[in-house]
Amino acid sequence: MADTVRDPPPDGTDFHELEDGEELFPEPAAAPEESQPASLPAEDISTNSNGPKQDLLFDDDPEDLFAEATEEVSLDSPERDVLLSDGPSPAITPITPPTSVITPRIGHAHDDMFTHSSFDEIEEEEGGDSFDIHISVSDPEKVGDGMNAYMAYKVTTKTSMSLFKQKDFSVKRRFSDFLGLHSKLASKYLHIGYIVPPAPEKSIVGMTKVKVGKEDQSSNEFVEKRRSALERYLMRTVKHPILLKDPDVLQFLESSELPRAVSTQALSSAGLLRMVNKAADAVNKMTIKMNESDAWFEEKQQHFENLDVQLRKLHASVESLVCHRKELSVNTAQFAKSAAMLGNSEDHTALSRALSQLAEVEEKIDQLHQDQANGDFYLFSELLGDYVRLLTAVKGVFEHRMKTWQKWQDSQMLLQKKREAEAKLQFTNKPDKLQQAKDEIKELEGKVQQGERDFEQISKTIRKEVSRFEKERVKDFKTIIVKYLESLVLTQQQLIKYWEAFLPEAKAIS
Amino acid sequence: MSVHSLSRNHTLFKLKLYLLCQILIFDKNTDATLQVDISDALSERDKVKFTVHTKSTLPNFKQNEFSVVRQHEEFIWLHDSFVENEEYAGYIIPPAPPRPDFDASREKLQKLGEGEGSMTKEEFTKMKQELEAEYLAIFKKTVAMHEVFLCRVAAHPVLRKDLNFHVFLEYNQDLSVRGKNKKEKLEDFFKNVVKSADGVLVAGVKDVDDFFEHEKTFLLEYHNRVKDASAKSDRMIRSHKNAADDINRIASSLYTLGTQDSTDLCKFFLKVSELFEKTRKIEARVAADEDLKLADLLKYYLRESQAAKDLLYRRSRALVDYENANKALDKARAKNRDVLQAETSQQLCCHKFEKISESAKQELIDFKTRRVAAFRKNLVELAELELKHAKVTTVQLLRKSS
């Protein structure tokens, strides 16, 4: 199975650690791998600096993933930048520094999510151009007023690829521009089997709040959520080697003025047409029964169905966790206030001081919980949400294959009928009708051949796409979950710091 | 496993409490003359039976060491007998232990049994284990509360000599204290209403003695704030538990994903699932410890501060009575009628008031010492436990991820 999932890379070095079974979490039994850098990112780090990293809190695991994280909890770690600027190294994904997770609060922390994974798309590019592009979406600005207002985002591209005219440029785009890009790409590529990443969803409620001008926490969160979603969307799109070269994408990234994508509005004629099409598709899906000759497709479809169900479940649980952590943060803050009051009324001075300290500790912890909740959300929950939506796109691609097959079969059946009609006509004396029939048959034969070719093509494309998708999925999940775990570790370490500071105060009560 | 067998197991749920003193908010009294503890407890359908074990060198008891079985109502009876005893008006009566409340836990077990079909076997076993652990925790807590009550009484120089207390400890038959019937409960309710109204009136009377005046204001404020802190800490801990539950579900989902996935992610997911499982257990422990060290502490001092307030109320009441008796005496002397009667009643009131004042002062000072010690102990332990858990979690996360 491993072979069909991954196309054998021309240059095998990048995936050697996966193929050797040396994964992020090696089995304890795999003794020979212990000598090598045990974890993907550590490969980068340990080659550069094995010595000083040895004196950790937990000596058992000198080459563990979080070598950097345990060394110092203080927020500035200058040596990290040195490591990262090592250029496009053959190793995969160095860890992003802990700083980016803690600061800023609602962070651009997850910006870095895609930066480093871009380094190893090298062997995928047939053009020889190293895949080096980083897109960031920032500075959401409200333009206009009232119901016509919209948020403009700055899309900055930093790249060294020859595909682009400049190395570093930015444009202003609004949400409907993104939707417009997606609909163009979808109409061009979906039906021939390419998995086009879905754009973030429209949210009428969210946007209305922003338009109306409520400058409150929830609308800020909404804008941040959207900004981060747009960034991930663009990065996913450009990671696709075919989509990257698409002129619409290039125009989107480069040109300063973009024609307004009106057809993305929900109530426009195009919108209505889309809805009708969706309904028609749903009916068709139920009526097409395909003769699946290729077990691979059947298996894959089943696999994606299962994955979809599981991911949705996981997503729901993670969302619930985010909710409860936010609640925990609020309740902790309230408790902190209450404890401070209690400390005030306590007349034994040492105890009073200790209680005030407790209140402070709890306040800091509440902040910690808030940050963790954000981490939970932006790292984990959004990843899952993205994949749930991506899977819909994947399923769509499979459906298109079925439709192609259907078309092919239809033209084949039509050809059959015409041939029968022609055979019948041969016995009548209508030469011009016969000629007409012969012409039609020729045409249909061409169509049938085309249909067959289309079907083969889409099947081939889908195979490639699916393998690419799976590779991306594996990478994405690993990277992000590792990051998430890192954030958990950091939270715990902060907790340790706070409680350690409190303990002597508590002991000082006499 | 059906709900019935589950509940049957719980009806015969026995527990040996060796290190119960660890969970005590109150330091156990190690006075050899009278040592009381709860050595065993049995949880039945709707009641808990405590085995009260006494070791004593006092001559009042027939033996030096003995045990009896008591139920919650009997503890309440003992407490009420203290409250109603005029002799003890000058002491802070140790607050009565709260009623053992397994309803919530039982309900959850019920729901679990009903929902058994809708979840996987692993999930079911996991949730069952958790609920059982919760049940156990509540059980341990209620036993601790009852023991603390007894220990406080045993440690008090006057209360420990109370006859009812000795009967409670020694009489090995059922004390036949029936719970209050409806009429009596209603009477209690009215008594409380009258008391609180009276309390307000009496509180308005300014005290001559600075110490008591200060204590009054202090206790009032303190009591309210402890109540608030107790409620907020409960909410915080509940959120914590909810978060731990979520992590549990995430762990199971990851596990399923891991078993289904055919790519490299499968092993990865399984490992991460295990990791989440471990961290969840620790998070649950953190919540439980916070509950024990912080929430219970606050709840206990809520009750104690109420008891202290009650003492002050009684003293103020006695003061008012004394002042009224003085006035009555003056009036009687002026009219020269029933002077002797008025004099004796005034003497009584004076005596009562002075007695209460004297012991109250000591009681309140002791209360403060106890409170400071308890807070210190619990806060230190809380911090140590939090540290321990955070360190363990970090180690787990790091070890697993290499």
Side-chain angles (χ1 to χ4, degrees):
Chain A
M1 200 55 214
D3 292 326
T4 48
V5 172
R6 279 202 299 275
D7 289 330
D11 168 30
T13 49
D14 286 52
F15 287 96
H16 76 275
E17 57 270 30
L18 289 175
E19 275 152 12
D20 284 347
E22 179 190 290
E23 20 181 347
L24 190 59
F25 299 72
E27 312 278 46
E33 272 132 15
E34 296 300 326
S35 52
Q36 295 175 39
S39 46
L40 283 77
E43 195 178 4
D44 198 19
I45 297 164
S46 39
T47 46
N48 285 332
S49 42
N50 228 334
K53 308 299 178 228
Q54 289 301 324
D55 55 317
L56 303 170
L57 275 174
F58 310 98
D59 305 276
D60 325 314
D61 312 293
E63 287 148 331
D64 62 350
L65 180 64
F66 298 106
E68 297 309 306
T70 36
E71 201 193 292
E72 22 172 277
V73 187
S74 70
L75 299 189
D76 41 76
S77 38
E79 61 255 327
R80 299 221 113 272
D81 301 315
V82 173
L83 289 170
L84 290 171
S85 61
D86 268 348
S89 52
I92 298 179
T93 324
I95 317 172
T96 16
T99 37
S100 57
V101 178
I102 297 183
T103 54
R105 215 181 124 172
I106 294 183
H108 295 277
H110 30 280
D111 286 358
D112 298 293
M113 186 158 93
F114 288 102
T115 335
H116 311 292
S117 54
S118 59
F119 286 143
D120 70 7
E121 294 288 282
I122 303 175
E123 86 293 337
E124 286 249 284
E125 274 305 296
E126 286 125 10
D129 212 352
S130 79
F131 182 84
D132 165 26
I133 178 168
H134 176 55
I135 301 185
S136 61
V137 175
S138 55
D139 309 327
E141 254 182 358
K142 188 162 161 217
V143 175
D145 240 332
M147 284 314 284
N148 286 329
Y150 62 89
M151 293 301 272
Y153 301 91
K154 187 162 120 179
V155 177
T156 313
T157 318
K158 288 196 176 72
T159 175
S160 64
M161 292 176 76
S162 50
L163 213 52
F164 296 93
K165 301 190 197 88
Q166 295 170 287
K167 282 209 185 287
D168 187 347
F169 48 92
S170 63
V171 291
K172 283 234 178 255
R173 294 281 176 259
R174 54 185 289 190
F175 186 65
S176 53
D177 294 336
F178 289 83
L179 292 182
L181 174 68
H182 171 72
S183 75
K184 282 195 214 137
L185 291 176
S187 62
K188 278 198 262 185
Y189 293 105
L190 258 185
H191 65 95
I192 49 174
Y194 287 104
I195 300 174
V196 176
E201 284 160 356
K202 263 174 126 39
S203 162
I204 301 182
V205 175
M207 266 327 278
T208 318
K209 266 206 242 168
V210 172
K211 285 187 204 214
V212 167
K214 275 179 77 174
E215 267 295 319
D216 67 348
Q217 181 70 2
S218 68
S219 58
N220 283 341
E221 274 177 24
F222 172 77
V223 170
E224 176 54 33
K225 204 170 129 173
R226 177 163 278 194
R227 184 207 66 81
S228 138
L230 289 173
E231 196 172 280
R232 288 196 307 273
Y233 164 65
L234 282 181
M235 280 307 291
R236 281 221 173 81
T237 308
V238 298
K239 275 213 277 193
H240 195 300
I242 308 291
L243 292 180
L244 174 59
K245 302 206 184 95
D246 184 280
D248 281 323
V249 171
L250 296 175
Q251 186 192 34
F252 181 89
L253 290 175
E254 286 182 321
S255 74
S256 47
E257 281 300 316
L258 206 60
R260 178 90 191 274
V262 192
S263 64
T264 56
Q265 283 168 342
L267 295 175
S268 67
S269 56
L272 290 172
L273 191 64
R274 264 202 303 277
M275 281 199 280
V276 170
N277 278 339
K278 260 201 210 156
D281 279 348
V283 173
N284 274 340
K285 210 179 9 168
M286 292 191 275
T287 52
I288 296 181
K289 259 197 69 77
M290 179 165 166
N291 249 345
E292 191 52 81
S293 52
D294 198 340
W296 186 89
F297 281 94
E298 204 163 314
E299 201 190 315
K300 279 295 162 188
Q301 256 182 303
Q302 190 58 42
H303 163 72
F304 284 126
E305 283 293 319
N306 290 345
L307 193 61
D308 190 36
V309 167
Q310 287 307 320
L311 282 182
R312 273 181 211 268
K313 212 165 95 166
L314 186 59
H315 188 212
S317 306
V318 174
E319 278 189 333
S320 169
L321 176 64
V322 170
C323 188
H324 283 140
R325 251 214 243 274
K326 287 214 167 103
E327 214 179 83
L328 177 61
S329 154
V330 165
N331 287 342
T332 312
Q334 284 187 333
F335 174 69
K337 282 201 200 87
S338 187
M341 297 277 282
L342 190 62
N344 274 343
S345 58
E346 176 64 61
D347 55 358
H348 185 269
T349 29
L351 181 56
S352 169
R353 197 171 45 234
L355 282 173
S356 312
Q357 285 290 82
L358 180 68
E360 265 176 51
V361 166
E362 292 288 343
E363 215 179 295
K364 290 197 205 129
I365 290 180
D366 119 67
Q367 187 60 41
L368 211 60
H369 283 307
Q370 176 81 343
D371 290 342
Q372 180 63 60
N374 280 330
D376 289 351
F377 180 70
Y378 284 107
L379 286 179
F380 210 0
S381 174
E382 288 284 82
L383 166 76
L384 293 170
D386 283 348
Y387 267 90
V388 166
R389 279 195 297 276
L390 266 172
L391 279 177
T392 334
V394 171
K395 283 202 265 190
V397 152
F398 276 94
E399 276 160 35
H400 274 292
R401 178 170 171 273
M402 286 219 290
K403 274 203 250 173
T404 318
W405 183 85
Q406 187 69 16
K407 242 175 64 180
W408 175 30
Q409 294 297 82
D410 285 345
S411 20
Q412 223 170 15
M413 280 206 296
L414 199 57
L415 177 66
Q416 187 78 0
K417 271 202 223 134
K418 289 284 180 193
R419 284 213 174 114
E420 284 170 11
E422 190 221 6
K424 279 200 208 126
L425 276 178
Q426 293 236 323
F427 295 117
T428 65
N429 212 357
K430 293 192 187 140
D432 49 339
K433 278 237 170 95
L434 195 60
Q435 187 56 36
Q436 192 186 27
K438 280 210 202 295
D439 287 337
E440 280 176 355
I441 286 178
K442 244 213 188 76
E443 209 183 307
L444 275 173
E445 275 176 358
K447 265 214 192 119
V448 166
Q449 275 180 354
Q450 182 63 33
E452 191 172 352
R453 271 204 301 275
D454 283 343
F455 182 69
E456 311 248 297
Q457 182 62 33
I458 197 176
S459 300
K460 208 167 74 160
T461 313
I462 290 184
R463 274 183 201 262
K464 250 198 344 197
E465 283 290 290
V466 166
S467 85
R468 207 190 130 261
F469 176 77
E470 288 288 88
K471 242 194 293 204
E472 281 296 313
R473 181 167 75 92
V474 170
K475 220 172 9 168
D476 263 353
F477 270 84
K478 277 200 186 172
T479 327
I480 292 182
I481 291 188
V482 164
K483 261 207 193 195
Y484 177 63
L485 291 176
E486 257 181 63
S487 78
L488 286 179
V489 170
L490 279 166
T491 311
Q492 292 301 322
Q493 288 176 326
Q494 285 289 81
L495 272 176
I496 290 179
K497 250 188 22 177
Y498 295 147
W499 286 110
E500 266 174 358
F502 175 70
L503 192 55
E505 279 289 337
K507 287 200 171 136
I509 307 172
S510 55
Chain B
M1 213 187 193
S2 72
V3 177
H4 296 301
S5 57
L6 262 177
S7 49
R8 229 182 313 127
N9 280 345
H10 282 101
T11 55
L12 305 174
F13 196 79
K14 241 174 172 268
L15 187 68
K16 286 261 183 256
L17 308 158
Y18 305 117
L19 302 167
L20 197 54
C21 47
Q22 304 272 358
I23 348 180
L24 280 188
I25 300 160
F26 172 74
D27 276 327
K28 258 178 96 153
N29 175 40
T30 48
D31 183 356
T33 54
L34 181 61
Q35 247 184 302
V36 184
D37 63 81
I38 298 186
S39 58
D40 201 356
L42 186 64
S43 158
E44 283 189 1
R45 191 116 269 273
D46 53 357
K47 53 191 171 206
V48 183
K49 295 211 168 117
F50 304 95
T51 306
V52 180
H53 166 249
T54 319
K55 249 207 302 222
S56 170
T57 54
L58 289 176
N60 325 46
F61 300 112
K62 295 196 202 82
Q63 300 166 289
N64 277 357
E65 191 170 345
F66 48 90
S67 296
V68 292
V69 176
R70 291 281 172 252
Q71 288 184 36
H72 175 73
E73 286 78 22
E74 290 162 323
F75 286 77
I76 300 299
W77 164 81
L78 184 61
H79 171 261
D80 288 347
S81 75
F82 289 149
V83 170
E84 286 156 13
N85 190 333
E86 284 281 331
E87 290 290 303
Y88 302 139
Y91 307 116
I92 296 182
I93 311 292
R99 204 177 69 85
D101 182 18
F102 295 104
D103 289 341
S105 191
R106 224 175 265 133
E107 220 179 276
K108 279 200 212 162
L109 269 171
Q110 188 91 2
K111 264 202 227 141
L112 181 69
E114 283 166 11
E116 183 176 354
S118 68
M119 51 180 101
T120 68
K121 188 128 199 309
E122 293 102 25
E123 268 179 49
F124 181 72
T125 0
K126 251 208 282 190
M127 292 216 69
K128 188 158 86 87
Q129 274 174 357
E130 256 175 69
L131 284 178
E132 279 175 358
E134 210 180 285
Y135 192 92
L136 184 60
I138 299 178
F139 188 73
K140 275 204 210 155
K141 262 211 275 192
T142 191
V143 170
M145 298 284 162
H146 285 76
E147 196 180 64
V148 162
F149 170 70
L150 290 179
C151 290
R152 284 265 279 120
V153 174
H156 194 285
V158 175
L159 291 177
R160 77 201 321 217
K161 300 194 196 121
D162 182 81
L163 198 58
N164 282 335
F165 184 49
H166 291 181
V167 167
F168 179 91
L169 289 177
E170 207 179 11
Y171 188 62
N172 53 17
Q173 305 278 351
D174 190 5
L175 287 174
S176 325
V177 287
R178 55 173 178 71
K180 299 195 169 154
N181 61 26
K182 260 203 211 140
K183 176 158 163 281
E184 282 168 345
K185 282 200 185 141
L186 205 59
E187 279 174 6
D188 270 352
F189 173 70
F190 279 121
K191 256 196 254 172
N192 275 335
V193 169
V194 169
K195 187 172 122 180
S196 37
D198 197 25
V200 171
L201 279 169
V202 160
V205 175
K206 179 137 172 39
D207 210 310
V208 208
D209 191 331
D210 276 342
F211 174 79
F212 284 104
E213 188 58 31
H214 167 80
E215 285 294 311
K216 207 167 17 161
T217 23
F218 165 71
L219 267 179
L220 219 55
E221 196 186 58
Y222 189 78
H223 178 77
N224 287 335
R225 293 195 177 168
V226 163
K227 204 190 312 197
D228 187 51
S230 173
K232 300 260 162 70
S233 77
D234 276 345
R235 267 218 294 260
M236 177 175 82
I237 290 167
R238 222 190 350 260
S239 297
H240 220 142
K241 287 209 181 105
N242 284 339
D245 282 341
D246 284 329
I247 298 182
N248 194 16
R249 272 193 286 271
I250 292 176
S252 335
S253 291
L254 281 173
Y255 182 78
T256 330
L257 264 174
T259 49
Q260 279 183 355
D261 208 302
S262 53
T263 63
D264 278 342
L265 278 185
C266 112
K267 271 198 231 142
F268 180 80
F269 276 145
L270 287 175
K271 285 250 160 89
V272 176
S273 155
E274 229 181 286
L275 191 61
F276 269 93
E277 189 45 51
K278 291 217 168 71
T279 53
R280 177 203 70 86
K281 283 212 181 83
I282 299 177
E283 285 279 316
R285 286 283 296 284
V286 169
D289 285 337
E290 276 177 358
D291 192 22
L292 222 48
K293 299 291 165 195
L294 197 53
D296 280 353
L297 174 73
L298 292 170
K299 277 201 216 70
Y300 184 78
Y301 276 93
L302 181 61
R303 292 203 302 278
E304 273 259 2
S305 57
Q306 181 61 48
K309 269 171 67 177
D310 288 343
L311 170 63
L312 281 181
Y313 161 72
R314 288 196 291 272
R315 181 177 168 279
S316 301
R317 179 80 252 164
L319 177 61
V320 167
D321 287 343
Y322 178 39
E323 285 176 353
N324 287 343
N326 271 339
K327 284 197 205 124
L329 181 59
D330 288 340
K331 238 204 297 196
R333 285 206 178 125
K335 287 205 190 130
N336 209 355
R337 230 183 354 155
D338 299 323
V339 174
L340 194 60
Q341 196 183 14
E343 266 181 359
T344 20
S345 113
Q346 191 253 22
Q347 289 275 28
L348 268 168
C349 285
C350 174
H351 177 70
K352 180 169 166 203
F353 174 68
E354 279 170 1
K355 187 166 125 176
I356 292 182
S357 288
E358 205 182 299
S359 56
K361 197 167 197 157
Q362 189 55 45
E363 287 284 303
L364 288 169
I365 293 174
D366 284 345
F367 173 60
K368 181 157 162 179
T369 327
R370 268 204 315 276
R371 185 176 76 240
V372 171
F375 267 79
R376 180 184 191 283
K377 177 168 178 289
N378 278 60
L379 287 178
V380 167
E381 284 174 4
L382 176 69
E384 284 174 350
L385 280 170
E386 294 264 5
L387 266 176
K388 183 173 97 159
H389 290 314
K391 286 198 176 127
V392 169
T393 315
T394 321
V395 169
Q396 286 287 359
L397 284 170
L398 289 177
R399 186 176 299 145
K400 271 295 163 180
S401 49
S402 64

